[in-house]
Amino acid sequence: MKLALLATLATAATAFVAPSAPLTTRSPTQIFAEDEAEAAEVEEPAPRSAAEISALTSSVKTIFSLEDINGILPHRYPFLLVDKVVEYEQGKRAVGIKGVTLNEPHFTGHFPNRPIMPGVLQVEALAQLAGIVCLQMEGAEPGAVFFFAGVDGVKWKKPVVPGDTLVMEVEIKKWNKRFGIASATGRAYVDGELAVELDEMKFALAK
């Protein structure tokens, strides 16, 4: 009986014997040093100069300046909503730029504490860009007045605010030179993100 009890105690004791190989542990200092090393691997982007940021648009060339647009569209301040055209395919499409600034009069009431470019003016800007294309097509002439006849499938994706640059694109789908009626699609972007798009807009030259 005594022998059996001693054997049991000896077996139990071996469970508490320290392993022959020492355990490896990391001190708090080592842990923090490793975390700092990992953080150092993710480098912060270097600050860019004004010249570098300005050069980002160096490949974008002006096709129609504001002065050129004044010779094509009948609109004038404060309702001329295209600052320049940077892509143009005669009778087909155009890409235009609208710089949004707080100096525009609609921002005093839309809204006083949160200025947002009205969605209808975004659509109007697209229509004016389409007008720049259409007023240089056969059956029309620069400076002619054209009216909105309808718009379908408008979707606004994000607010357009002062400081934004609205980059717009329109494509002419139909043009009836006899009656001066056109239809087009349009979309506009801010910082590469879609801000507004429409399936179709129609307008007609004033007779």
Side-chain angles (χ1 to χ4, degrees):
M1 183 69 180
K2 290 182 179 180
L3 290 174
L5 180 59
L6 290 172
T8 302
L9 291 173
T11 303
T14 58
F16 297 96
V17 175
S20 57
L23 294 174
T24 57
T25 59
R26 295 185 301 167
S27 68
T29 303
Q30 289 175 312
I31 294 173
F32 291 136
E34 291 174 4
D35 291 341
E36 290 174 0
E38 291 177 2
E41 292 177 1
V42 182
E43 294 183 0
E44 292 292 330
R48 292 182 295 180
S49 67
E52 290 174 312
I53 294 173
S54 177
L56 295 175
T57 58
S58 61
S59 63
V60 180
K61 305 302 181 183
T62 299
I63 306 299
F64 297 131
S65 67
L66 185 59
E67 289 76 13
D68 297 326
I69 293 170
N70 280 332
I72 301 170
L73 292 180
H75 306 73
R76 293 296 182 267
Y77 176 85
F79 220 72
L80 179 57
L81 302 176
V82 183
D83 295 333
K84 62 181 178 180
V85 174
V86 296
E87 292 283 343
Y88 175 74
E89 293 181 51
Q90 186 173 4
K92 295 181 179 179
R93 62 179 286 274
V95 175
I97 306 296
K98 161 64 180 165
V100 183
T101 75
L102 190 61
N103 295 327
E104 296 171 62
H106 48 264
F107 286 125
T108 59
H110 196 279
F111 300 96
N113 296 320
R114 189 180 179 186
I116 296 175
M117 183 179 183
V120 293
L121 292 186
Q122 297 172 37
V123 174
E124 170 66 23
L126 288 167
Q128 291 183 18
L129 182 60
I132 292 172
V133 180
C134 290
L135 291 179
Q136 299 182 85
M137 295 172 66
E138 185 180 357
E141 60 183 34
V145 174
F146 58 94
F147 302 128
F148 238 135
V151 60
D152 294 312
V154 182
K155 299 181 182 68
W156 288 275
K157 302 294 186 178
K158 61 176 294 183
V160 178
V161 300
D164 285 343
T165 299
L166 194 65
V167 181
M168 307 171 288
E169 181 176 13
V170 297
E171 183 177 352
I172 307 302
K173 293 298 185 181
K174 295 179 182 178
W175 168 248
N176 186 317
K177 64 181 181 180
R178 180 180 178 185
F179 297 103
I181 297 174
S183 67
T185 61
R187 63 198 64 83
Y189 303 82
V190 173
D191 295 332
E193 295 184 23
L194 185 64
V196 58
E197 63 180 341
L198 52 86
D199 294 335
E200 183 181 41
M201 55 184 168
K202 299 176 182 178
F203 43 92
L205 289 174
K207 297 295 185 180

